[in-house]
Amino acid sequence: MRVCVTMESSGRKTTGVLDPTMYTASMTAAVVLIVLAACADLCDGVTVVDVYRLVQYDLAGVPFGSRIAYLNHHAASSLFSPGSGGGAGIGGNSVTADLSRTVLILPLRELNLALIREYIGQRKILGGLLFLLPSIFNPENIDYEDGADQNPAKDVSWDILVELEQLLIRANIPFPVYFAFEQDNINAVLVDVKRNDVSGQPATATTGGYKLVVAAPEPRKLGSPTITNIQGWLPGLKADGDSNQLPTIAIVASYDTFGASPALSVGSDSNGSGIIALLEIARLFSILYSNPRMRGRYNLLFGLTSGGPYNYNGTRKWLHRFDQRLRESIEYAICLNNIGSSGNELWVHVSKPPDNAYVKQMFEGISSVADELGLNVGLKHKKINISNSRVAWEHEQFSRLRVTAATLSELSFAPDLLERTGGLSDNRHVIDESSLVQRIKLIAESLARHIYSLDGKNINVFADNSSLAVNPSYVRSWLDLLSTTPRVAPFLSRNDPLIMALTKELTEHTVDVNVQHEVLDGLFTFYDSTSSKLHIYQVASVTFDLLLLLALGSYFIILFSFLVITTRGLDDLISIFRRPPSRKVKSA
Amino acid sequence: MTVFHFFNCAILTFGPHAVYYAATPLSEYDTLGTSIKAAIVYLVTALVKLVCLATFLKVSESDSFDPYQELLKALIGFVDVAGLYFALTQLTHRNISQNHKFQAVGLGWAFADSVLHRLAPLWVGARGLEFTWDYILQGLEANANLILSLSLAALGSLMWLRKNKPKTLIPIIYTCAGIVATMPSILSYLRQGLGWQLPKVIGFELFTSLAMASISWQLFAICQRPSS
């Protein structure tokens, strides 16, 4: 049926009304009518856009995020109705239009964050919010245009996005909030909507405009979300005659993310960089350990943990599964976090005091290698507070069980809960590949020097251009994969392809790979419905149809009179309207 | 609101037929049976045309104007004329004057055409949320089609039912009938060959239908004068 086929998101519609092939189609009208009546809903809409919903979660029973998914309202583009002046304040001022049945389309570039903050803070009701993000934030948009102008730190929209994200995930918003990326079709719609707004006609049911519809079902709770930890071993070589258990060095990274939009939280830096570093180090050391004569006197334990944004819940459960002896045999653990963006500064965060012998030894090992590579590594000490449930760094979970641990990160201060956990602004373009490669080299080299007791000797284990060099293509291919895979833990099933891929990769390089499934602690509850399709309809108003009805009525009256006059004569027309009175006269 | 729009477009498409029936003496002489028979003849004609199109026409890939295909379609369009001939001459009508006969046949013809070609798209499309002008244009086209059908029926009745025609007028009658009969091909040429937009095409159709209607009215009046 030609009518259905021609409705597409290209925006131009031509219905072949006069097309001769309509003869053919109409001949089966009886059967087709029934079928078409059923599929009438499917053929509607001028523009269809992918949209992603703001996260909806409960923290200890307190609701956060956007609580509604269904959207069906008219579109507007600003918080004010025209004529009220651009700078009018909101508080108590009734000049702003009634927006409770309007969806605001707000592009990120023109966002007035203070206004949004006020609006959300005062818990005003909107029909909905649709944020338009520049396409550079689209996880599917990974092209390699490396250049100074791509440096995210210099772009203001990055900062605005980070702030917006933090504002949205900590607010309880009783209307739907969606994110979409700028495309030609939706940009054209926005231009039209702005023009309508300027001309002083807010869109309602009687004045036409655009209608945005997201037919999403009611969000349901995700019951018992699973978090999955993956571990692998590289066993060392015992010296002959030595019956003691070998010490273990643990390398840990959490792999899941959290952000304002779970379908877009790819977390390239938090913690994609950590995952890649862990996998590359596992690969390099598996090459070293494959030769029995090259095995060091240390076991290496690699752990990919989940539940990172939620106070490193997964790490805690993973550690509790170990028995006491194993935990005591861990000499130290290095946790990797946020090591991918450009810059020369790195920090080693510890909970044990810096003058502790182990901490000193570990830090000196790292800094000596760092000096050779031209990196600056600093030491930061943050005491842990057992009574406070907030766990800011992964190593704190180790420290609570009295295992020496440190976190290597480019962040200099501890992030708050749900901060820097891989949100909307954390995508491929934040990563500097050469920086990441250099830091992987730093970690691997300092580990190797410690394992093989090479301190002081002038040996470069993972030298460039050797067979043990850090492989940039490996880094890049994993980066591309992780930058297009959202990894919010409650939405990852037990057999999610990502988890299978990580397990397979670890199996290739390590032995005794163990996948452990845990249940996320009941403090966090999540809801589904994270992405949908938005349909944008251009609608005419009721007044238009009323006018049309009026016009048709007058047309018919004129047509009727014309036909009566020409075929029966004017007297007949008059007699149609005069008959009742003449009968009355007669009877009287 | 959109069912409202559907209602508006529906009465624009089908209303004039009802108004025509009510306004002219057709309703007084109760010629509904004739109209219904004409409608049935139209359905059969459309079926025959469909079979011919399916058999002889090849499906073209591009949307351009292919003269040979269009010629073939025009020839098949003359099946329409044959159908009208059948409706006017072969069907047994009640005793109604020629004047009313052609009107009733034309009306039934146009009504069947509207229902077949325009009801389905209207039902599917006009009820949706999305607003376009297409359905209003389609209604206007239905109006133009009504006028054209009436003109064609008038000319047809002049050609086949009236025996004493002034000799000078016969070629004019036949040319006008030819123009009206080939109207669909002309319109498709305008749309695809010249690339006219839909509103323009429908405006042209309305204009020519009114012109043709006035010409055929004049012709009919002239031919009626000797006998009256």
Side-chain angles (χ1 to χ4, degrees), chain A residues 424-439:
Chain A
L424 284 173
S425 54
D426 193 345
N427 64 4
R428 181 76 172 78
H429 301 278
V430 178
I431 300 276
D432 183 6
E433 275 173 41
S434 47
S435 243
L436 180 57
V437 165
Q438 203 184 32
R439 282 141 193 211

Side-chain angles (χ1 to χ4, degrees), chain A residues 136 144-156 158 342 429-432:
Chain A
I136 197 172
Y144 299 104
E145 297 162 15
D146 278 307
D149 49 2
Q150 288 270 335
N151 190 347
K154 299 197 179 127
D155 197 342
V156 174
W158 245 270
S342 59
H429 301 278
V430 178
I431 300 276
D432 183 6

Side-chain angles (χ1 to χ4, degrees), chain A residues 1-4 7 12-20 22-24 26-27 29 33 36-37 40 43-46 72 205 211 213 536-542 544-546 548-549 552 555-556 559-560 562-564 566-568 572, chain B residues 1 4-5 7-8 11-12 15-16 19-20 22-25 27-28 43 46-47 49-50 53 63 73 103 116-117 119-121 123-125 127-136 138 141 143 184 187-188 191-192 198 201 205 217:
Chain A
M1 188 69 185
R2 251 186 93 91
V3 174
C4 288
M7 299 211 188
R12 249 186 56 77
K13 290 172 64 158
T14 49
T15 45
V17 172
L18 304 174
D19 199 306
M22 283 292 272
Y23 286 51
T24 323
S26 297
M27 280 317 296
L33 257 181
L36 285 175
C43 295
D44 260 333
V46 63
N72 187 346
K211 205 157 200 212
V213 178
I536 306 181
Y537 302 102
Q538 187 166 20
V539 291
S541 54
V542 172
F544 171 78
D545 271 314
L546 282 171
L548 184 61
L549 186 62
L552 283 177
Y555 166 63
F556 283 150
L559 182 65
F560 186 83
F562 172 73
L563 287 173
V564 168
T566 50
T567 54
R568 290 194 266 193
D572 263 340
Chain B
M1 179 213 108
F4 192 9
H5 189 67
F7 174 74
N8 277 345
I11 62 177
L12 176 61
V19 170
Y20 191 89
T24 57
S27 52
E28 283 179 21
L43 284 174
L47 195 62
K49 264 177 40 181
L50 166 67
L53 277 175
D63 216 8
K73 283 186 200 169
Q103 282 183 48
L116 218 52
H117 291 163
L119 185 61
W123 177 254
V124 170
R127 278 184 318 136
L129 272 180
E130 177 72 15
F131 172 76
T132 63
W133 289 99
D134 286 347
Y135 300 105
I136 298 177
Q138 200 181 36
E141 199 219 343
N143 280 312
L187 290 171
S188 84
R191 254 196 68 239
Q192 290 169 343
L198 199 59
V201 172
E205 194 181 357
W217 192 359

Side-chain angles (χ1 to χ4, degrees), chain B residues 167-215:
Chain B
K167 293 293 177 205
T168 48
L169 287 182
I170 292 182
I172 305 179
I173 294 174
Y174 277 96
T175 29
C176 285
I179 294 174
V180 177
T182 54
M183 216 39 197
S185 309
I186 298 174
L187 290 171
S188 84
Y189 170 68
L190 288 177
R191 254 196 68 239
Q192 290 169 343
L194 293 184
W196 280 20
Q197 293 298 315
L198 199 59
K200 212 170 166 186
V201 172
I202 293 195
F204 172 78
E205 194 181 357
L206 278 170
F207 174 73
T208 45
S209 65
L210 286 171
M212 281 289 124
S214 53
I215 292 174

Side-chain angles (χ1 to χ4, degrees), chain A residues 76-117:
Chain A
S77 68
S78 83
L79 286 169
F80 300 108
S81 63
S84 68
I90 300 179
N93 192 344
S94 60
V95 176
T96 56
D98 174 29
L99 295 171
S100 62
R101 307 190 67 78
T102 319
V103 180
L104 289 180
I105 307 180
L106 301 172
L108 189 71
R109 296 180 210 271
E110 306 158 12
L111 198 61
N112 184 342
L113 202 58
L115 215 54
I116 305 280
R117 202 188 296 272

